[in-house]
Amino acid sequence: MAQAHERLMAWESARSLPTLHWQHATSRPAERSGEDVDIILARLKNVKAFERFHPSLLQQICLCGFYECLEKGITLYRQGDIGTSWYTVLSGSLDVKVSETANHQDAVTICTLGIGTAFGESILDNTPRHATIVTREFSELLRIDQREFKSLWEKYRRCMAGLLAPSYGVMDSGPNGDRMPDKENMRNNTFGTLSKHQNKVPSEKILQAGKVLRNAILSRAPHMIRDRKYHLKTYRRCCVGTELVDWQMLQSSCVHSRTQAVGMWQVLLEEGVLIHVDQELSFQDKYFFYRFLDDEREDAPFPTEEEMQESLEELQDTLLLLSQIGPDAHMRMILRKQPGERTTDDLEIIYEELLHIKALSTLSTTVKRELAGVLIFESHAKAGTVLFNQGEEGTSWYIVLKGSVNVVIYGKGVVCTLHAGDDFGKLALVNDAPRAASIVLQEDNCHFLRVDKEDFNRILRDVEANTVRLKEHEQDVLVLEKSSSSTRNSICGTASSHYKYTVMSGAPEKILEHFLDMMRLDSQFTESDPALDDFVLMHCVFISNSQLCPVLMAHYQAQALQGSEQEKLDYTLNNKRRVIRLVLQWASIHGDHLQQENTSVTFLQEFLVAVSDDAKVIPPLRDQLPELERIVKLNTEDARSTQKKHKILLRQFSMGDEKLQKRQPIKINDEILFKVYCPDHTYTTIRVSVSASVSEVISAVADKLGSAEDLLLVSLSSAGDKVILKPNDISVFSTLSINGRLFVCPRDQLDSLMPLPEQEGPSLGSLATFELMSSKDVAYHITLYDWELFDCVHEHELLYHTFGKQNFKRTTANLDLFLQRFNEIQLWVITEVCLCSHLSKRVQILKKFIKIAAHCKEYRNLNSFFAIIMGMSNPAVSRLSQTWEKLPSKFKRFYAEFENLMDPSRNHRAYRLTVAKLEPPIIPFMPLLIKDMTFTHEGNRTLIDNLVNFEKMRMLSNTVKIMTYCRSQPFSPDTSLASKNHPEARNYVRQLSVIDHQRTLTQLSHGLEPRRS
């Protein structure tokens, strides 16, 4: 189940298969094979701390580094210890704690080490550790022992110097220092950065990009570059901003919007390759004049025919490059504007960016929107620049956008390094205290977001001033955020202002009570309140249906205690109508999940009886009665049907002919017929509930075997990796890897477990079958099957997966199978390529997969589209240089364009922009939805002061609603293909046979194209 999520995380850091591959770094260095080293090397190349290392140095690290994984709360070492190892963070995070006394309990956390951080260099001179390091969450580290690290340092000192900042003592803050001396200079630096950049020499690749675009324009639209007159002044050889955007939009499918095109031209403007005639620093999609750098010269050369032809050939690659770096340039352009100059669109773009910054994940939506209006962009060019010194007054809070900084404490030197997404400087503002450390740039060209003290304090004051707290018995029970909401009177045209109240946190019953009180009865039922939708969708996290149903019934039967008889009657009517509407919405969202709960079905029946009785004496209730009767009838009949069916329903998840049938949702009461293997590879077949716990599975196996021993249930992968399943784990059948199997054994036989021969996967590829099918047919049937799997996934399964299905006693089998499908498609691509021994045939396979990916994208099946491209990016495939060299340039361009869509930078912005333009039905990239859910869940507490953090529920609900939107239209079969019968393609894509052991795939790859010396 978690494999697809892990693969996404791996893609973001290394574009390879998941955490599993670091296990090659757990073996003794002397035992590592060439394949081991290649796998580790592929991962290390994309670890931030190593990105500038020479390949030979990386090779040495592969040979001597060890992989370590640590649970949350583990102390790696303590302040004052003599170090024995140096570390780099591969995943997770660690807290840096420093104590001014000898008592470790006095230690305070001064910063957090994130992915890519390197630490522990005190081993070079055997000085005591400067701080205590504790894992903040489950973390993976690469460790190099002292002797090997010193050896590497002696040999590669110059290359590694960037990792080790000097141990600063008291830092020079005099006039010769590199620090920014005061806030005014810092502000000047903020808005003057770009003009300084324009005086520098443009980078080679952007200079070349400018030449390619200029030549292409002169070839295809030479009228765009000409002398222009404006206000009696002539501007030589200029282009117009709007025309440049128009032209770029027509050149490539990788340019999705005018905003994106503006960002791409901004890249050239920042580097001085494109120049505004009045030296403006921002590119505008307006009638503004711009000139290419080459046209600045009086004798600007006109490109030759050969040069224009070369530029046209390079145009697509150039546009692809600019589309990758354009969003960052556009963001910098917006952030460089004075806060008062930012448009509504600008603020929305900044806000979208802030949603995915780790340091801001715990802030409310209102605070993030406030920050969008005051954040200032700041950049510094040189490593060693001192941003501020320890002991100084705190004037700003910083977030690292790009680059890294060292945190330096007097007498201790560099205690940690902060990277993109980390923040610093907030404590000094909150506590109005001096800076606790100095901040020094570790590398050149660092970018920051800055919030100045007065803005910071104003936002805090505004938040508190607009916070309304409802108390009972001196305790908060509901926390609301007040905000103004302006409306215009449609009759007289006057504007009026009133306040709206947003739930931030509260007791579950009080949140429900508030939403019922606020529900508008004058609107149509279809116009539901988004906040109420969030409650209905998310309530299972903090109040179960068995708890909610009595509360709803109590609200329905509530009576007014005060007022006239008419007022009491009005209250009763409106209260009942509100509860009925809520119950209808609740039943609609929960769908067939309600049928699996006797408590919910019984409540619906009792509620219908109560409403029917009331409708006899309160006629207005009759309007809602038919819809309620329909809902109750549907759920009651389906519940009876489910109870009858589940007793005889037998399911297999991943084998046999069942996969050829149309998929139906797997329900909690369904039963499964499943093989559980013994150490000697014999097996017993058990029949248990899909949601059975591990204890129940072991009991069923023990009964079949007649065994009285204490048995373990073990998940065994094709690589031989064993995972002992915990007794309270539920629904484990769907969590196995593609070729994984369940084994049962006594503890003393655990080491003897070996994979079955069938787990190795195929030894021959299926090219002979595969190449006869058209790419469009294959893509269509992949999409048809994927849609069946996707359509079976209930929205709540995302919540169960995020919070832990054991906490709900619910299965996530449908979601597990859909995530497993992503892994299966990815491995299918790798398997077919690695099992093809003929070079020319391998080239044909690559072409075939690129075409299938293109058709999947056309069918809006982004899940399989990503899986195919990620399969082609796997080291076992991407290293086949001879194969890729023979791939036609047209297909290389397609592949590069597809890879650009998968670019994980800025939180997969390229993908999100693409999806935003699509209409449903859509099969989304599911691992990214899982990642978004996990990011929100782990970055925000579920309870705040024992109250439900409803802001977190709102953010999670927004992610879940993406899935709802993608399925808001049914999948319509392609009439041109549906009318034809393609049983071969249909059966083929539903029964893929793959190798899921990366080492085997890497060995096959090396057999095809041995590593060049």
Side-chain angles (χ1 to χ4, degrees), residues 478 641 675 817 929:
L478 188 66
S641 174
K675 292 178 181 177
L817 294 180
L929 281 183

Side-chain angles (χ1 to χ4, degrees), residues 747-767:
R747 185 172 292 277
D748 60 4
Q749 294 184 31
L750 180 64
D751 292 339
S752 67
L753 294 183
M754 297 293 291
L756 303 168
E758 69 188 50
Q759 288 183 254
E760 294 177 6
S763 57
L764 295 173
S766 59
L767 179 62

Side-chain angles (χ1 to χ4, degrees), residues 296-364:
E296 286 283 284
R297 294 162 46 187
E298 289 289 340
D299 57 341
F302 196 86
T304 64
E305 284 293 328
E306 185 180 355
E307 287 173 332
M308 285 197 286
Q309 185 58 40
E310 287 177 0
S311 293
L312 290 176
E313 290 172 2
E314 294 177 30
L315 180 59
Q316 295 305 316
D317 289 339
T318 299
L319 292 173
L320 194 58
L321 167 69
L322 293 176
S323 71
Q324 291 169 335
I325 56 182
D328 286 330
H330 188 246
M331 177 62 68
R332 289 192 295 272
M333 181 184 80
I334 293 171
L335 289 168
R336 282 192 179 100
K337 295 180 181 179
Q338 292 284 358
E341 297 173 358
R342 293 172 189 168
T343 66
T344 303
D345 288 343
D346 291 342
L347 293 176
E348 193 61 31
I349 289 171
I350 299 172
Y351 170 72
E352 288 290 330
E353 185 74 12
L354 299 186
L355 288 177
H356 308 294
I357 293 179
K358 180 177 62 178
L360 306 180
S361 62
T362 60
L363 300 181
S364 72

